[in-house]
Amino acid sequence: MREAGLLDWVAALTTLERVFKHKSLRFGQERVIRAALEGNDVLAVMPTGAGKSLTYQLPALLSAGVTVVVSPLIALMKDQVEGLRGKGVNAALLNSTQSDAEQRAVLQRLEGVKLLFVSPERLFNVAFQKAVQRVTISRLVIDEAHCVSQWGHDFRPEYRRLGEARVLLGNPPVTAVTATATKDVQLEILEVLNCRDAVQIVTGFDRTNLAYRVINVPGDAAKLEALRTMLQTYPKPGLIYVGTRRESEMLAGVLQGWGVGAAYYHGAREQGERNRVQDDFQSGKLEVIVATNAFGMGVDKSNVRFIVHYRMPGTLESYYQEAGRAGRDGKPARCVLLFDTDDRKLQQHFIDTSVPSEFELKRVYAYLHAARSDEGELNSRLATLEHNLSMTAGKLRSIVAHLVACDSLEQFESANGVLAGRLTAQLPTLTVPHLETLRIHKHGLLEAMLGFATRPRCRRKLILEYFGETPDFERCDACDVCKPPADA
């Protein structure tokens, strides 16, 4: 590794102003950028709104070669690429929504591309691997790196192979960025990515402009009444997070009946409709979006004035990530949890759905094994299984994720960009004790969330302690515990 010299830093600051129109860096950004310019592996844990994207985009422009960025969402890739191209940066993306011709065109023009955004499965695509051999990969970036951890709140099994993918790319240095990673999750990220001497930069989790509040509501009628009062008094725009797709549609209809410019967003809506809702919210045509947790990752709207959790999320990581989408402009914003003790039942149901039994794992594996004739489109095979096994799509997705995690199923993008699956010769090796350990861990995450909702302690302090920080205060001046609710 080398030390970033004065000329490196002058070039960085010049590029910062010329391309990104910023005269200075935010707290923490400089340390991450310097570590990358010196050729180090970097793990950066920075809160939502802290400018994580710039910490890898700026070094990419100063490096000779292509920076490959692994991103979990197609919409997130598109937003980043469009933003970079608008600044004159040669950025590209590869995803399954592109035609074969579009994908081939990207691969043929890699020379000169500074940032290439891909899904994790794409890294194992044969055509992709051949194409990147023609260029220098200067850095591998893992966005939303907490997805690596099987113990985290947003585990994505395809992320588990990124250490292997790094080797296939020639073992370039790595930058991993996330807003929500406890110390245990940070260690797992470093282990999976084979980062033995990484520079670890944790800038802190305290968002002092956010006012956290929990309102106890006995039932849905009380929730609606509390929500209506807030919408009459709170400045907008805002986001309301719900527990299910059906609830997002219902509640958006209620808000429209109240005269609020609202729309719903969930993962089952067609991509064009989701884009329209997001664009209308971004431009100010919509005052409020009612959404499941499918909405928000990568959304760059700085003036969100409130976040309401209509249903309690299952983990403090999820709550912190979603609440953190408020007040990214640094101005005061409210984060309200409408808490009903019955909300616990919904999260317990999600845990039961997400952690399959050993029998369910082996049953799905056996059906996939019996039906395999080729490495066909995985989604169509799963749709058939959903019908034949009388399983919900959510349960089946969970089982597939665990089959991938235990090396019984390999997911990859085929030559035409379709998500495909290849069974290994290995039967599922996850044991009942392992699955029970995972179930207990998820219940522990839920208990931590319940503690935040019910304990009469400073909300800010509870969040900071959960993420491993030691607050230097006993009380804040904004949460409902430290400040009378009438003034919160």
Side-chain angles (χ1 to χ4, degrees):
M1 306 304 166
R2 63 180 184 85
E3 184 176 350
L6 179 60
L7 290 178
D8 293 321
W9 197 243
V10 170
L13 294 178
T14 301
T15 304
L16 176 71
E17 186 167 1
R18 176 176 58 84
V19 177
F20 297 98
K21 311 304 179 187
H22 298 316
K23 294 184 179 296
S24 61
L25 293 165
R26 298 180 190 175
F27 174 72
Q29 286 179 321
E30 178 176 340
R31 293 168 60 200
V32 181
I33 292 168
R34 280 188 182 275
L37 291 176
E38 290 168 1
N40 296 288
D41 290 339
V42 189
L43 171 60
V45 184
M46 305 169 69
T48 299
K52 292 184 290 296
S53 297
L54 185 64
T55 64
Y56 58 81
Q57 291 177 357
L58 182 56
L61 301 189
L62 299 169
S63 302
V66 182
T67 294
V68 175
V69 183
V70 175
S71 181
L73 292 176
I74 291 174
L76 182 55
M77 296 183 205
K78 289 181 177 178
D79 289 345
Q80 294 231 35
V81 169
E82 289 174 3
L84 286 166
R85 287 176 175 172
K87 296 177 173 64
V89 176
N90 190 347
L93 75 160
L94 283 166
N95 65 64
S96 57
T97 67
Q98 296 167 311
S99 68
D100 292 352
E102 288 173 324
Q103 294 179 44
R104 285 195 299 270
V106 172
L107 292 176
Q108 289 168 359
R109 296 196 300 264
L110 285 183
E111 292 84 353
V113 170
K114 300 306 297 181
L115 292 113
L116 177 64
F117 292 78
V118 300
S119 66
E121 296 92 352
R122 173 69 55 161
L123 300 175
F124 299 94
N125 177 283
V126 174
F128 175 83
Q129 291 176 21
K130 289 181 179 178
V132 297
Q133 290 176 5
R134 305 194 316 265
V135 298
T136 299
I137 304 299
S138 58
R139 182 164 288 269
L140 174 62
V141 174
I142 314 301
D143 202 2
E144 306 295 342
H146 59 271
C147 297
V148 164
S149 174
Q150 64 177 322
W151 304 112
H153 67 291
D154 196 16
F155 171 53
R156 313 242 177 144
E158 59 271 22
Y159 267 63
R160 298 292 290 181
R161 299 185 66 198
L162 289 177
E164 179 185 346
R166 179 184 184 180
V167 174
L168 293 174
L169 292 175
N171 207 35
V174 168
T175 293
V177 295
T178 177
T180 52
T182 61
K183 289 183 177 179
D184 287 344
V185 171
Q186 292 170 37
L187 290 174
E188 189 171 3
I189 291 170
L190 295 174
E191 180 182 353
V192 169
L193 299 178
N194 300 318
C195 298
R196 293 179 176 82
D197 299 307
V199 177
Q200 300 179 55
I201 299 166
V202 181
T203 62
F205 294 86
D206 200 5
R207 296 280 306 281
T208 57
N209 64 313
L210 302 185
Y212 300 104
R213 184 179 183 188
V214 178
I215 301 177
N216 289 286
V217 282
D220 286 351
K223 280 197 181 194
L224 284 173
E225 185 61 34
L227 182 61
R228 186 167 192 170
T229 299
M230 284 186 283
L231 291 174
Q232 290 171 346
T233 57
Y234 284 8
K236 301 176 181 68
L239 292 171
I240 301 172
Y241 280 101
V242 295
T244 65
R245 296 167 177 175
R246 183 176 182 180
E247 191 167 61
S248 71
E249 298 177 17
M250 178 277 295
L251 193 57
V254 170
L255 265 60
Q256 291 164 3
W258 293 344
V260 178
Y264 68 89
Y265 185 107
H266 58 61
R269 293 201 79 174
E270 292 185 2
Q271 186 64 51
E273 293 177 328
R274 281 182 280 163
N275 291 342
R276 177 182 56 78
V277 170
Q278 185 168 324
D279 290 345
D280 286 350
F281 185 62
Q282 195 77 26
S283 67
K285 292 181 181 179
L286 283 174
E287 295 179 294
V288 177
I289 289 182
V290 184
T292 63
N293 59 8
F295 179 83
M297 192 178 289
V299 173
D300 187 20
K301 187 171 178 64
S302 64
N303 66 333
V304 174
R305 297 273 64 90
F306 69 83
I307 302 287
V308 172
H309 279 88
Y310 192 78
R311 298 287 174 199
M312 180 187 70
T315 71
L316 257 177
E317 288 100 328
S318 294
Y319 176 80
Y320 176 81
Q321 185 178 53
E322 291 161 1
R325 290 167 186 145
R328 294 180 62 168
D329 55 7
K331 297 178 181 178
R334 294 177 171 93
C335 304
V336 181
L337 169 62
L338 298 177
F339 177 65
D340 180 359
T341 54
D342 282 348
D343 289 347
R344 178 176 189 162
K345 296 176 182 177
L346 178 63
Q347 295 304 329
Q348 288 174 327
H349 168 72
F350 288 155
I351 291 173
D352 292 338
T353 300
S354 66
V355 183
S357 67
E358 186 177 25
F359 171 75
E360 288 172 327
L361 280 176
K362 293 185 175 180
R363 185 179 181 213
V364 170
Y365 180 91
Y367 269 77
L368 286 172
H369 188 275
R372 68 177 183 184
S373 56
D374 54 30
E375 294 169 355
E377 181 182 350
L378 183 60
N379 288 337
S380 63
R381 294 162 73 191
L382 295 180
T384 302
L385 272 182
E386 184 182 339
H387 177 266
N388 290 347
L389 299 181
S390 299
M391 283 186 175
T392 64
K395 169 67 80 172
L396 195 52
R397 283 194 301 270
S398 170
I399 292 172
V400 167
H402 284 280
L403 287 173
V404 172
C406 66
D407 297 324
S408 293
L409 177 66
E410 177 186 345
Q411 283 181 303
F412 59 94
E413 284 191 357
S414 62
N416 61 358
V418 171
L419 182 63
R422 178 190 296 122
L423 288 173
T424 69
Q426 178 182 354
L427 284 170
T429 56
L430 285 179
T431 63
V432 172
H434 178 96
L435 292 169
E436 186 58 26
T437 298
L438 184 58
R439 193 186 315 275
I440 291 171
H441 176 77
K442 286 181 175 288
H443 277 289
L445 296 177
L446 176 57
E447 289 302 317
M449 184 67 233
L450 285 165
F452 172 83
T454 59
R455 293 179 67 186
R457 291 188 62 199
C458 173
R459 311 288 183 196
R460 268 179 61 198
K461 188 172 183 179
L462 283 170
I463 287 174
L464 295 180
E465 289 175 345
Y466 179 80
F467 285 107
E469 292 191 21
T470 303
D472 59 0
F473 59 87
E474 283 298 321
R475 300 174 64 86
C476 71
D477 60 357
C479 83
D480 62 295
V481 174
C482 299
K483 190 173 183 179
D487 301 321

